[in-house]
Amino acid sequence: QDQLVESGGGSVESGGSLKLSCSIPGDLYSRYSMGWFRQAPGKEREGVASLSLSIQSYADSVRGRFLIYLDNSQRTLYLDMIGLKPEDTGMYYCATSEYYSRGLDPRQYKYWGQGTQVTVSS
């Protein structure tokens, strides 16, 4: 089974922007919930943004700065990030679930990518 593949991470200064992409293979594309998660060193993985039935959900810490959206023609999930802060630093993962409305709880997601690193310096 093919995996999700993230890209777009990098190192930026505080206030900068990045656009993350997640390529979703065909056998996983019909999943009903998709999301972006992140994990900082020594911390648990946390939900950043999710999308299900065109409904977006965001963690309070990123609402208004991050945007999750799906390009069906490219089978790609995106995360636009602006106004980045040092506390946004971490490994970012995309994930899908075969159920609707899984929200921001990473335990609700079954299929994961390998992650892309985001580093924000002050």
Side-chain angles (χ1 to χ4, degrees), residues 29-35 49-58 67-72 77 99-103 109:
Y29 195 71
S30 61
R31 302 311 183 219
Y32 301 118
S33 294
M34 303 175 183
S50 68
L51 181 64
S52 181
L53 298 174
S54 299
I55 297 174
Q56 302 166 350
S57 298
Y58 296 94
L67 176 68
I68 184 172
Y69 59 100
L70 181 66
D71 184 333
N72 285 302
L77 182 70
Y99 300 100
Y100 290 113
S101 304
R102 295 298 94 183
Y109 290 78

